[in-house]
């Protein structure tokens, strides 16, 4: 999956998803000279930010968003990729025709050959399912002529799903078919996760997952040595090199 010249779009439902599930791959893409752009659809102001709400009973939604905005900017800077937040509001995140058209416009404007987003059946968080459904919708209509947007149609990108909710993979039927070795970049990923300070559990949790996925990569993908990995599920099959 990692090779130079790729144009990679990352769609993340909440503030931290892009970093916790795909931060290692993003670092590797950036290191390989690829163009990577990250979009958070929300700031995760409700579902990902209980620590802020618990510490500040009187805080407003906009203040929580501002805290999360600062965090994602620092995390993305550490990963070396630009980020924007569409600020659609989370829990529930609702992506109707207008917002889907905005995602289609983003894809046509960026012309990615690869899109990273949530697992298609990550049903323990409906915002994740809403995101992947809308991203698939946009990814499978972007090449259709006759759908009017500011940008012309572009080729359909490959869509690859990152990890579901931590610990939920067996429940939601997530069976990886692709591993990215993140051993060499994991300390940088961990720094980015630390920047998402509203969720202090992330660095340890995703280190455990990376070590387990690394073992899987060794045992089932012939990736020795690979101490730490991120697991992905490609929707489709890879073309011959
Ligand atoms: Zn999320």
């Amino acid at each position: 999956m990692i090779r130079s010249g790729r144009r990679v779009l990352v769609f993340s439902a909440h503030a931290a998803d892009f970093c916790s599930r795909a931060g290692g791959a993003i670092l590797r893409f950036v290191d390989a000279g690829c163009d990577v752009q990250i979009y958070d659809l929300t700031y995760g102001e409700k579902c990902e930010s209980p620590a802020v709400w618990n510490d500040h009973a009187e805080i407003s939604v906009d203040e929580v968003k501002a805290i999360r905005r600062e965090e994602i900017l620092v995390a993305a800077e550490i990963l070396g990729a630009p980020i924007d937040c569409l600020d659609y509001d989370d829990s529930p995140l609702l992506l109707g025709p207008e917002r889907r058209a905005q995602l289609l416009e983003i894809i046509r404007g960026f012309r990615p050959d690869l899109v990273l987003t949530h697992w298609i059946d990550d049903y323990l968080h409906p915002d994740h399912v809403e995101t992947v459904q809308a991203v698939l919708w946009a990814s499978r209509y972007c090449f259709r002529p006759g759908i009017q947007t500011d940008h012309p149609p572009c080729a359909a990108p490959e869509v690859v799903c990152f990890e579901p909710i931590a610990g939920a993979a067996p429940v939601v039927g997530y069976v990886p078919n692709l591993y990215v070795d993140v051993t060499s970049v994991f300390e940088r990923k961990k720094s980015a996760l630390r920047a998402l300070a509203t969720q202090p559990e992330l660095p340890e949790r995703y280190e455990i997952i990376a070590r387990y996925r690394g073992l899987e990569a060794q045992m089932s993908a012939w990736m020795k040595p690979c101490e730490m990995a991120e697991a992905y599920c490609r929707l489709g099959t890879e073309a011959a090199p």
Side-chain angles (χ1 to χ4, degrees), residues 206-239:
Y206 280 90
E207 181 164 351
I208 292 169
I209 291 173
R211 290 195 184 282
Y212 180 73
R213 293 305 192 189
L215 181 63
E216 280 188 345
Q218 287 186 39
M219 302 304 288
S220 62
W222 293 270
M223 288 170 62
K224 287 183 182 173
C226 171
E227 287 178 31
M228 325 211 43
E230 286 174 351
Y232 293 87
C233 194
R234 168 183 278 130
L235 302 182
T237 189
E238 188 170 28

Side-chain angles (χ1 to χ4, degrees), residues 13-14 17 21 47-48 118 125 128:
H14 306 115
D17 294 329
R21 295 121 201 274
C47 81
E48 274 188 350
H118 293 271
H125 202 318
H128 292 179

Side-chain angles (χ1 to χ4, degrees), residues 20 166 182 186-187 189-191 193-194 201-215 227-230:
S20 54
V182 297
F186 194 79
E187 282 308 311
K189 172 175 176 175
K190 217 168 162 183
S191 297
L193 288 173
R194 282 195 209 100
E201 74 282 4
L202 293 179
E204 183 184 4
R205 182 173 295 177
Y206 280 90
E207 181 164 351
I208 292 169
I209 291 173
R211 290 195 184 282
Y212 180 73
R213 293 305 192 189
L215 181 63
E227 287 178 31
M228 325 211 43
E230 286 174 351

Side-chain angles (χ1 to χ4, degrees), residues 142-186:
C142 65
F143 61 93
R144 301 272 184 214
I147 300 175
Q148 295 301 323
T149 57
D150 289 345
H151 297 92
C154 65
E158 178 184 12
V159 179
V160 174
C161 301
F162 46 64
E163 289 266 4
I165 292 175
V171 175
V172 299
Y174 184 79
V175 180
N177 56 19
L178 180 65
Y179 295 90
V180 173
D181 188 336
V182 297
T183 312
S184 64
V185 297
F186 194 79

